[in-house]
Amino acid sequence: MLARWTVVTLAIWALARLTGADRIPFLAGLLVPVLAFTPYAAAFTAVPMVYALAARRWRMLGVTAVIAGAFAVAVAPRAIGDSGPAADGPSLRVLTANLRLGRADPHALVGLVRRTGADVLSVQEFTDQAGTGLDRAGLARLLPYRVTMPMAGAQGSGLYARYPLRALPTFRVAEIGLAMPHAEMRLPGGHRVDLFGVHLARPMSPAGVGQWRRGLVLVPAAARRGVVRILAGDFNATLDHAPLRGLLGEGYADAADRTGAGLIPTFRKAWWTPPITLDHILVDARCAVRRVDVYGLPRSDHRAVLAQVRLP
C-alpha cells in the first residue's frame, strides 16, 4: 500500500510540474513551495522502481518508469546545457550574492569580486551597514559605480559596476515587497547593458505567493533587438516554477542552465533541509554564456553565482 501511494504521489508531482499547475491561483500556495524540490523527487523515483523490480511488480515498474521519464524531461536538461548562440561582443562577468540581512562577510565578498574579476555585482538583503562594510573592504576601488537601495531587513538591494551606471526607473517597494534597482551600464566602445538587481518575495504564504507572482510579471521582457538586458539576483524560484519559465520565454536564458550547471544549489535554509537553486543570472537569449561558477559566502545562507557572458 505504501509503495502504491508513493507512486501515486510521484505521478501527481510529475504531472503538476509538466503542466505548470503552480500557475493556478488556488493551487499555487501549495505547489510553489513543493515544486522547488522537484530534482529530489526525480531522484527518489529510483526507490519504487527498485522495489517494483525486486518484487516483480511489472505494472508498477512500467508506471514508475514513465514517471521517471517525465521527471527526466523536466530536470535533466539543466545538467546538460547547450551551445547557445554565437556572440562576438564584449565579455562581461556578472556576480550575484544574497547578503542574508546584510550579515554576509564583506571582506569575503570583496575578495571574491577581486578573484573573479567581476564587472557587475548584484546584492540582495542589502542594508546601510552592509554598504559601509563593503566600502571598508575596498569594493569601491574594484567597482566604483553604484545604484543602491539600502533598506532594513531583507528589502534592500544594490548594483555595483566597473563601468558607469545610470539609474533607471524601477518598481516601488510596495508593488513587489522588495527593492529591485535598475540601471543602464555603458561599456567602453559604446555598448550598453540594461541591468536589473532582482529580489523577489518568498512564496511561502498566500500573500508571499501573490507578491512573488507579481514581481515575476512586472520584470520586463528581454529586448528583441537593441539593448541587452541582464537580470541577476535571488528569484526565490527554481526552474521547476512555471512563472520563472514563463519569464525565460520572454527572451531570456538562465546562465547556469545554458552551461549545464543548472542543478547546482545556491540556497540552504538549515542543515537539515535539502539545498535548492534560487539564485539566477538571466541573460538576453542573444548572449553567449561561457561559464557559471558558484561560491560559498561566509555568514550567508545563499551562495554567490558568477556568470561569464559574451554580449551579442
Side-chain angles (χ1 to χ4, degrees), residues 224-312:
R224 300 297 178 178
R225 58 180 63 87
V227 65
V228 173
R229 182 169 290 139
I230 296 177
L231 317 176
D234 175 7
F235 287 71
N236 269 308
T238 78
L239 294 183
D240 292 302
H241 291 122
L244 179 56
R245 298 196 304 276
L247 180 60
L248 289 172
E250 295 295 327
Y252 293 107
D254 181 276
D257 178 53
R258 183 167 274 183
T259 59
L263 290 175
I264 299 176
T266 66
F267 170 78
R268 189 171 200 160
K269 184 172 179 60
W271 66 267
W272 46 268
T273 58
I276 53 180
T277 309
L278 299 182
D279 303 85
H280 305 271
I281 297 172
L282 305 190
V283 301
D284 186 304
R286 297 170 293 169
C287 294
V289 183
R290 303 304 187 200
R291 182 184 176 96
V292 168
D293 295 291
V294 178
Y295 303 91
L297 184 59
R299 300 206 299 266
S300 177
D301 48 0
H302 288 253
R303 301 168 78 191
V305 180
L306 176 81
Q308 299 181 26
V309 180
R310 191 77 180 263
L311 303 180

Side-chain angles (χ1 to χ4, degrees), residues 19-142:
T19 60
D22 54 317
R23 282 196 179 101
I24 303 172
F26 70 89
L27 293 178
L30 170 65
L31 291 180
V32 169
V34 169
L35 287 178
F37 299 95
T38 294
Y40 295 98
F44 186 78
T45 307
V47 174
M49 286 186 71
V50 170
Y51 167 80
L53 183 62
R56 299 190 177 188
R57 299 180 64 173
W58 308 122
R59 183 178 297 178
M60 178 180 289
L61 180 62
V63 171
T64 310
V66 171
I67 296 170
F71 276 126
V73 168
V75 174
R78 276 170 263 177
I80 299 171
D82 61 63
S83 58
D88 57 4
S91 293
L92 199 63
R93 297 187 176 203
V94 182
L95 180 67
T96 181
N98 183 304
L99 304 183
R100 194 180 189 181
L101 305 177
R103 298 172 188 163
D105 185 336
H107 293 278
L109 182 54
V110 172
L112 184 58
V113 170
R114 184 178 293 110
R115 292 197 311 275
T116 61
D119 301 298
V120 175
L121 171 65
S122 173
V123 288
Q124 305 86 50
E125 302 196 16
F126 176 73
T127 62
D128 282 314
Q129 292 80 3
T132 300
L134 291 171
D135 284 339
R136 288 175 177 169
L139 183 61
R141 291 191 295 273
L142 301 171

